[in-house]
Amino acid sequence: MQLIARPLVLLGIAAFSSLASAQTIAFGQELQNGDQTNHWVVWVDGKKACPGQQVLGVLTKTPCGQPFNLGEVEYAFTGCSGDSGPPTVLLDSAGLQIGGCTANANNKINCHGDNHDIIKHGTCVVVNGS
């Protein structure tokens, strides 16, 4: 009985560890980029948003369908409602769903120096894949 219990405990610890280390991608808007227009931006949640973010298209257009890279990995959003609705699904470079997204309370991130402030609109958790 102990021989069976130990592998199950190790399996449970491994599963918990992989969930605990899941990557979270944050999305929001950068205020007044170089062209004086607000843009969608993405970054690895928990790391510096400014600088460090990937700038997508203008805020008046949907962020869905715009591929972006964070490190070596390419992602894209889908499930946006309307032209400027937040994403609900995260895709990998093959177009497979690897995570879900939720909106939040629009928290402002104060960037310093020459960096423009960012308003965080939500996060996407990578649940499988990259």
Side-chain angles (χ1 to χ4, degrees), residues 29-43:
Q29 73 184 82
E30 181 179 43
L31 304 175
Q32 300 294 313
N33 197 325
D35 61 1
Q36 299 304 304
T37 303
N38 295 351
H39 285 76
W40 287 100
V41 291
V42 294
W43 65 96

Side-chain angles (χ1 to χ4, degrees), residues 8 19-20 28 32 35 40 47 57 64-65 67 72 79 94 105 120:
L8 290 176
L19 288 175
Q32 300 294 313
D35 61 1
W40 287 100
K47 299 204 178 194
C64 286
E72 300 289 319
K120 181 178 177 181

Side-chain angles (χ1 to χ4, degrees), residues 22 27 43 47 56-57 64 71 73 82 86 100-101 108 114 119-120 130:
F27 62 90
W43 65 96
K47 299 204 178 194
L56 302 179
C64 286
V73 182
C101 307
K108 186 172 183 183
D114 293 335
I119 297 177
K120 181 178 177 181
S130 304

Side-chain angles (χ1 to χ4, degrees), residues 50-103:
C50 43
Q53 77 280 9
Q54 170 78 39
V55 178
L56 302 179
V58 295
L59 192 68
T60 56
K61 302 289 183 186
T62 182
C64 286
Q66 297 182 47
F68 59 91
N69 292 324
L70 290 174
E72 300 289 319
V73 182
E74 183 177 288
Y75 302 98
F77 293 129
T78 191
C80 296
S81 60
D83 282 341
S84 59
T88 57
V89 176
L90 183 66
L91 305 175
D92 66 10
S93 60
L96 300 174
Q97 180 176 346
I98 58 168
C101 307
T102 57

